[in-house]
Coordinates of all heavy atoms in Angstrom, one line a residue:
V45 N 0.8 -1.2 0.0 CA 0.0 -0.1 0.0 C 0.9 1.3 0.0 O 0.5 2.2 -0.7 CB -0.9 0.0 1.2 CG1 -1.6 1.4 1.4 CG2 -2.0 -1.1 1.1
S46 N 2.0 1.3 0.8 CA 2.9 2.4 0.8 C 3.5 2.5 -0.5 O 3.8 3.8 -1.1 CB 3.8 2.3 1.9 OG 4.7 1.3 1.7
M47 N 3.9 1.5 -1.2 CA 4.5 1.6 -2.6 C 3.5 2.2 -3.6 O 3.8 3.1 -4.4 CB 4.8 0.3 -3.0 CG 5.5 0.3 -4.4 SD 6.2 -1.4 -5.1 CE 4.4 -2.2 -5.3
I48 N 2.2 1.8 -3.5 CA 1.2 2.4 -4.4 C 1.0 3.9 -4.0 O 0.9 4.8 -5.1 CB -0.2 1.7 -4.2 CG1 -0.1 0.3 -4.7 CG2 -1.3 2.5 -4.9 CD1 -1.4 -0.6 -4.5
Q49 N 1.0 4.3 -2.9 CA 0.9 5.7 -2.5 C 2.0 6.5 -2.9 O 1.8 7.5 -3.4 CB 0.6 5.8 -1.0 CG -0.7 5.4 -0.5 CD -0.8 5.4 1.0 OE1 0.2 5.4 1.7 NE2 -2.0 5.3 1.5
F50 N 3.2 5.9 -2.8 CA 4.4 6.6 -3.3 C 4.3 6.9 -4.8 O 4.6 8.1 -5.2 CB 5.6 5.8 -3.1 CG 6.9 6.3 -3.7 CD1 7.5 7.4 -3.2 CD2 7.4 5.7 -4.9 CE1 8.6 7.8 -3.8 CE2 8.6 6.2 -5.5 CZ 9.2 7.3 -5.0
F51 N 3.9 6.0 -5.6 CA 3.8 6.0 -7.1 C 2.5 7.0 -7.3 O 2.7 7.7 -8.5 CB 3.8 4.8 -7.8 CG 5.2 4.1 -7.9 CD1 5.5 3.1 -7.1 CD2 6.1 4.7 -8.7 CE1 6.8 2.5 -7.3 CE2 7.3 4.1 -8.9 CZ 7.6 3.0 -8.2
Q52 N 1.6 7.1 -6.6 CA 0.6 8.0 -6.8 C 1.0 9.4 -6.7 O 0.7 10.3 -7.5 CB -0.7 7.7 -5.8 CG -1.5 6.5 -6.3 CD -2.6 6.3 -5.3 OE1 -2.5 6.7 -4.2 NE2 -3.6 5.6 -5.8
V53 N 1.8 9.7 -5.7 CA 2.4 11.0 -5.5 C 3.2 11.3 -6.6 O 3.4 12.5 -7.1 CB 3.0 11.1 -4.1 CG1 3.8 12.4 -4.1 CG2 2.1 11.0 -3.0
V54 N 4.1 10.4 -7.1 CA 5.1 10.6 -8.2 C 4.3 11.0 -9.5 O 4.7 12.0 -10.2 CB 6.0 9.3 -8.5 CG1 6.7 9.6 -9.7 CG2 6.9 9.2 -7.2
F55 N 3.2 10.2 -9.8 CA 2.4 10.6 -10.9 C 1.7 11.8 -10.8 O 1.4 12.5 -11.8 CB 1.6 9.4 -11.3 CG 2.3 8.2 -12.0 CD1 2.8 7.2 -11.4 CD2 2.3 8.3 -13.4 CE1 3.4 6.2 -12.1 CE2 3.0 7.2 -14.1 CZ 3.5 6.2 -13.5
L56 N 1.2 12.1 -9.6 CA 0.4 13.5 -9.5 C 1.4 14.5 -9.8 O 1.1 15.6 -10.4 CB 0.0 13.5 -8.0 CG -0.7 14.6 -7.7 CD1 -2.1 14.8 -8.3 CD2 -1.0 14.7 -6.1
I57 N 2.6 14.5 -9.2 CA 3.6 15.6 -9.4 C 3.9 15.7 -10.9 O 4.0 16.8 -11.6 CB 4.9 15.3 -8.6 CG1 4.5 15.6 -7.2 CG2 6.0 16.3 -9.0 CD1 5.7 15.1 -6.1
A58 N 4.2 14.4 -11.5 CA 4.6 14.5 -12.9 C 3.5 15.0 -13.7 O 3.6 15.8 -14.8 CB 4.8 13.1 -13.4
A59 N 2.1 14.7 -13.4 CA 1.0 15.2 -14.2 C 0.9 16.8 -14.1 O 0.6 17.5 -15.1 CB -0.3 14.6 -13.7
V60 N 1.1 17.4 -12.9 CA 1.0 18.7 -12.7 C 2.1 19.4 -13.5 O 1.9 20.5 -14.1 CB 1.0 19.1 -11.2 CG1 1.3 20.6 -11.0 CG2 -0.2 18.6 -10.4
I61 N 3.3 18.9 -13.4 CA 4.5 19.6 -14.0 C 4.2 19.5 -15.6 O 4.5 20.5 -16.3 CB 5.8 18.8 -13.8 CG1 6.2 19.1 -12.3 CG2 6.8 19.1 -14.7 CD1 7.3 18.2 -11.8
L62 N 3.7 18.5 -16.2 CA 3.4 18.3 -17.7 C 2.4 19.3 -18.0 O 2.4 19.9 -19.1 CB 3.1 17.0 -17.9 CG 2.8 16.5 -19.4 CD1 4.1 16.9 -20.1 CD2 2.5 15.1 -19.6
L63 N 1.3 19.4 -17.2 CA 0.2 20.4 -17.6 C 0.8 21.8 -17.5 O 0.5 22.6 -18.4 CB -0.9 20.2 -16.6 CG -1.8 19.0 -16.7 CD1 -2.9 18.9 -15.7 CD2 -2.4 19.1 -18.2
V64 N 1.7 22.2 -16.7 CA 2.1 23.4 -16.5 C 3.1 23.7 -17.7 O 3.1 24.8 -18.4 CB 3.0 23.6 -15.1 CG1 3.9 25.0 -15.2 CG2 2.1 23.7 -14.0
L65 N 3.9 22.7 -18.1 CA 4.8 22.9 -19.3 C 4.0 23.0 -20.5 O 4.3 23.8 -21.5 CB 5.7 21.8 -19.5 CG 6.8 21.6 -18.4 CD1 7.6 20.3 -18.6 CD2 7.7 22.8 -18.5
N66 N 2.8 22.3 -20.7 CA 1.9 22.4 -21.9 C 1.3 23.9 -22.0 O 1.2 24.4 -22.8 CB 0.9 21.4 -21.9 CG 1.5 20.1 -22.4 OD1 2.6 20.0 -22.9 ND2 0.7 19.0 -22.4
V67 N 0.9 24.3 -20.7 CA 0.3 25.8 -20.7 C 1.3 26.8 -21.1 O 1.1 27.7 -22.0 CB -0.2 26.1 -19.3 CG1 -0.6 27.4 -19.2 CG2 -1.5 25.2 -19.1
L68 N 2.5 26.6 -20.6 CA 3.6 27.6 -21.0 C 4.0 27.5 -22.4 O 4.1 28.6 -23.1 CB 4.8 27.3 -20.2 CG 4.8 27.6 -18.6 CD1 6.1 27.2 -18.0 CD2 4.5 29.1 -18.5
D69 N 4.0 26.2 -23.1 CA 4.2 26.1 -24.5 C 3.1 26.7 -25.2 O 3.3 27.3 -26.3 CB 4.4 24.7 -24.8 CG 5.1 24.3 -26.1 OD1 5.9 25.1 -26.5 OD2 4.7 23.3 -26.8
F70 N 1.8 26.5 -24.8 CA 0.8 27.2 -25.6 C 0.7 28.6 -25.5 O 0.5 29.3 -26.4 CB -0.6 26.7 -24.9 CG -1.8 27.2 -25.7 CD1 -2.2 26.7 -26.8 CD2 -2.6 28.2 -25.0 CE1 -3.3 27.1 -27.6 CE2 -3.6 28.6 -25.8 CZ -4.1 28.1 -26.9
N71 N 1.1 29.2 -24.4 CA 1.3 30.7 -24.2 C 2.3 31.3 -25.1 O 2.2 32.3 -25.8 CB 1.5 31.1 -22.8 CG 0.3 30.9 -21.9 OD1 -0.9 30.8 -22.4 ND2 0.5 30.8 -20.6
K72 N 3.5 30.5 -25.3 CA 4.5 30.9 -26.2 C 4.0 30.9 -27.7 O 4.2 31.9 -28.4 CB 5.7 30.1 -26.1 CG 6.5 30.2 -24.9 CD 7.7 29.3 -24.9 CE 8.5 29.4 -23.7 NZ 9.6 28.3 -23.6
W73 N 3.2 29.9 -28.0 CA 2.7 29.8 -29.3 C 1.6 30.9 -29.6 O 1.6 31.5 -30.6 CB 1.9 28.4 -29.5 CG 1.3 28.2 -30.7 CD1 1.7 28.0 -31.9 CD2 -0.2 28.4 -30.9 NE1 0.7 27.9 -32.9 CE2 -0.4 28.1 -32.4 CE3 -1.2 28.7 -30.2 CZ2 -1.6 28.3 -32.9 CZ3 -2.5 28.8 -30.7 CH2 -2.8 28.5 -32.0
Q74 N 0.8 31.2 -28.5 CA -0.2 32.3 -28.7 C 0.5 33.6 -28.8 O 0.1 34.5 -29.6 CB -1.1 32.2 -27.5 CG -2.5 32.7 -27.8 CD -3.4 32.6 -26.6 OE1 -2.9 32.3 -25.4 NE2 -4.6 32.5 -26.8
E75 N 1.7 33.8 -28.1 CA 2.4 35.1 -28.3 C 3.0 35.2 -29.7 O 3.1 36.3 -30.2 CB 3.4 35.1 -27.2 CG 3.0 35.5 -25.9 CD 2.4 37.0 -25.6 OE1 3.0 37.8 -26.2 OE2 1.5 37.0 -24.9
G76 N 3.5 34.0 -30.2 CA 4.1 34.1 -31.5 C 3.2 34.4 -32.6 O 3.6 34.8 -33.8
K77 N 1.8 34.2 -32.4 CA 0.8 34.5 -33.5 C 0.4 36.0 -33.4 O -0.2 36.5 -34.5 CB -0.4 33.7 -33.1 CG -0.2 32.2 -33.5 CD -1.6 31.5 -33.5 CE -2.3 32.0 -34.6 NZ -3.6 31.3 -35.0
K78 N 0.8 36.8 -32.4 CA 0.4 38.1 -32.4 C 1.0 38.9 -33.5 O 2.2 38.6 -33.9 CB 0.7 38.8 -31.1 CG -0.3 38.2 -30.0 CD 0.0 39.0 -28.7 CE -1.0 38.4 -27.6 NZ -0.7 39.1 -26.3
E79 N 0.5 40.1 -33.9 CA 1.2 40.9 -34.7 C 2.4 41.6 -34.2 O 2.5 41.9 -33.1 CB 0.3 42.1 -35.2 CG -0.8 41.7 -36.3 CD -1.5 42.8 -36.7 OE1 -0.9 44.0 -37.0 OE2 -2.7 42.7 -36.9
G80 N 3.4 41.7 -35.0 CA 4.6 42.2 -34.5 C 5.6 41.3 -33.9 O 6.8 41.6 -33.6
S81 N 5.2 40.0 -33.8 CA 6.3 39.0 -33.3 C 7.2 38.7 -34.3 O 6.9 38.5 -35.5 CB 5.5 37.9 -32.8 OG 4.9 37.0 -33.9
T82 N 8.5 38.6 -33.9 CA 9.5 38.4 -34.9 C 9.6 36.9 -35.4 O 9.7 36.7 -36.6 CB 10.9 38.8 -34.3 OG1 11.1 37.9 -33.2 CG2 11.0 40.1 -34.0
K83 N 9.3 35.9 -34.4 CA 9.4 34.6 -34.9 C 8.3 33.7 -34.1 O 8.2 33.8 -33.0 CB 10.7 33.9 -34.4 CG 11.0 32.5 -34.8 CD 12.4 32.0 -34.4 CE 12.5 30.6 -34.7 NZ 13.8 30.0 -34.2
P84 N 7.5 33.1 -34.9 CA 6.4 32.3 -34.4 C 6.9 31.0 -33.7 O 7.8 30.5 -34.1 CB 5.4 32.0 -35.5 CG 6.3 32.1 -36.7 CD 7.3 33.0 -36.4
H85 N 6.3 30.6 -32.5 CA 6.7 29.4 -31.8 C 6.0 28.4 -32.3 O 4.8 28.2 -32.3 CB 6.4 29.7 -30.3 CG 6.9 28.4 -29.5 ND1 8.1 28.3 -29.2 CD2 6.1 27.5 -28.9 CE1 8.2 27.2 -28.4 NE2 7.0 26.7 -28.3
P86 N 6.8 27.3 -32.8 CA 5.9 26.0 -33.4 C 5.5 25.2 -32.3 O 6.1 25.2 -31.2 CB 7.1 25.4 -34.3 CG 8.4 25.7 -33.6 CD 8.2 27.2 -33.0
I87 N 4.4 24.6 -32.6 CA 3.9 23.7 -31.5 C 3.4 22.3 -32.3 O 2.9 22.4 -33.5 CB 2.7 24.2 -30.8 CG1 2.3 23.4 -29.5 CG2 1.6 24.4 -31.7 CD1 1.4 24.2 -28.6

């Protein structure tokens, strides 16, 4: 049971980090689409 709880915490942290990185990547892509941006961010 403690092993399962450990991996649940590991996957919870990994999921939160992945979602934050995806939001940051999406924001970079959205900023790259605005007028006046020098280089669009590919996604």
Side-chain angles (χ1 to χ4, degrees):
V45 171
S46 65
M47 183 178 70
I48 289 175
Q49 289 174 344
F50 170 75
F51 281 106
Q52 282 178 337
V53 170
V54 168
F55 278 92
L56 181 70
I57 293 169
V60 169
I61 289 172
L62 186 58
L63 286 173
V64 167
L65 290 175
N66 278 351
V67 167
L68 291 174
D69 198 34
F70 182 76
N71 287 341
K72 286 181 188 176
W73 174 79
Q74 208 170 24
E75 286 290 325
K77 286 190 68 165
K78 289 184 178 178
E79 279 187 43
S81 65
T82 57
K83 183 180 176 187
H85 181 75
I87 193 166

